[in-house]
Amino acid sequence: MSCLATPHGQGRRLRRVLHLQEHGAGPSFRVSAPKYATKDPNYRILARQRSRFTHYYFYLRDQTLGPTVLRVASFFPFQTTYYLNGHSFIEQELKRVQIGFRKTDNAFLAVDDVAALQAAADKLSPAIIRERLDYWTLVLGPKFSAKERTQLNLSRFYAIAQIEYCRNFIFKRNFPIHKLFERSCELGCGG
């Protein structure tokens, strides 16, 4: 993996690799020998169970999606989880078409061309996301031979587990937002 790593601030590849012991999002599988002898000495039992095992976290700087985290489970079925942010994709697109903008953390504060900002947001599609996720899964995910892929009928599917939407409003004075904040607190507390 060292060929993918780049010094801080250079390139758009792998930034960090961490590994942690944690519960998998789904079931894991354990292989064990049968309790009693069988005719086949290679016979094994594959059983589902929930357990803690190693997950590898790859912190990436993708050229299209921007900062992305890939988590790969070290146990069959090697569940892979991605964490990405649509604002990072928009930022990459604005840079690509050379549209000036000012951004702090996850908020765009100013942009030279509002239509270009909207076009960049509209460009993010399932096809683009899938293409980039397939690439990183191929590069960093578990490897199987052609024979193993055929025997196991391996395939990938993607599902969205969490998505957040927001609408940012900018107020010139704090009075309106203060009243909205108070009212939202009242509503949140059942008042």
Side-chain angles (χ1 to χ4, degrees):
M1 304 247 192
S2 61
C3 65
L4 292 172
T6 58
H8 182 68
Q10 297 179 12
R12 296 178 185 200
R13 301 255 185 189
L14 179 66
R15 293 305 179 118
R16 303 275 186 274
V17 179
L18 299 176
H19 63 92
L20 301 169
Q21 288 283 319
E22 59 188 16
H23 285 285
S28 58
F29 296 85
R30 295 278 187 201
V31 177
S32 60
K35 190 174 185 178
Y36 302 103
T38 64
K39 291 179 185 177
D40 181 0
N42 295 318
Y43 181 79
R44 295 293 179 262
I45 298 170
L46 183 64
R48 292 171 62 144
Q49 75 178 52
R50 185 165 163 82
S51 61
R52 292 174 61 87
F53 54 90
T54 301
H55 288 77
Y56 295 95
Y57 284 81
F58 299 90
Y59 291 80
L60 312 167
R61 183 161 298 274
D62 184 76
Q63 62 190 5
T64 304
L65 298 176
T68 304
V69 177
L70 160 63
R71 180 180 85 157
V72 180
S74 64
F75 247 75
F76 186 77
F78 307 107
Q79 183 170 2
T80 304
T81 306
Y82 284 89
Y83 304 92
L84 53 104
N85 185 328
H87 281 188
S88 297
F89 171 82
I90 294 169
E91 180 178 351
Q92 296 298 110
E93 278 299 299
L94 292 176
K95 286 178 181 177
R96 188 182 64 75
V97 295
Q98 300 177 341
I99 301 295
F101 64 91
R102 201 170 81 243
K103 185 177 176 230
T104 298
D105 192 28
N106 202 36
F108 286 91
L109 303 177
V111 65
D112 292 347
D113 183 347
V114 175
L117 176 69
Q118 186 61 54
D122 293 341
K123 187 174 179 180
L124 182 59
S125 68
I128 288 173
I129 294 171
R130 182 177 187 108
E131 187 264 326
R132 299 312 302 157
L133 301 188
D134 281 346
Y135 169 78
W136 286 112
T137 302
L138 177 66
V139 170
L140 299 172
K143 306 295 186 256
F144 296 96
S145 69
K147 182 180 176 183
E148 290 169 328
R149 286 194 301 272
T150 302
Q151 288 175 336
L152 295 171
N153 191 22
L154 294 176
S155 63
R156 293 187 191 115
F157 74 93
Y158 296 98
I160 295 175
Q162 178 180 339
I163 189 165
E164 296 175 12
Y165 290 97
C166 73
R167 180 172 292 273
N168 296 325
F169 295 99
I170 299 173
F171 293 88
K172 294 187 186 287
R173 296 175 300 134
N174 72 351
F175 177 76
I177 191 67
H178 182 71
K179 290 295 180 188
L180 285 172
F181 176 74
E182 284 180 353
R183 182 64 184 139
S184 65
C185 289
E186 290 170 4
L187 292 172
C189 293

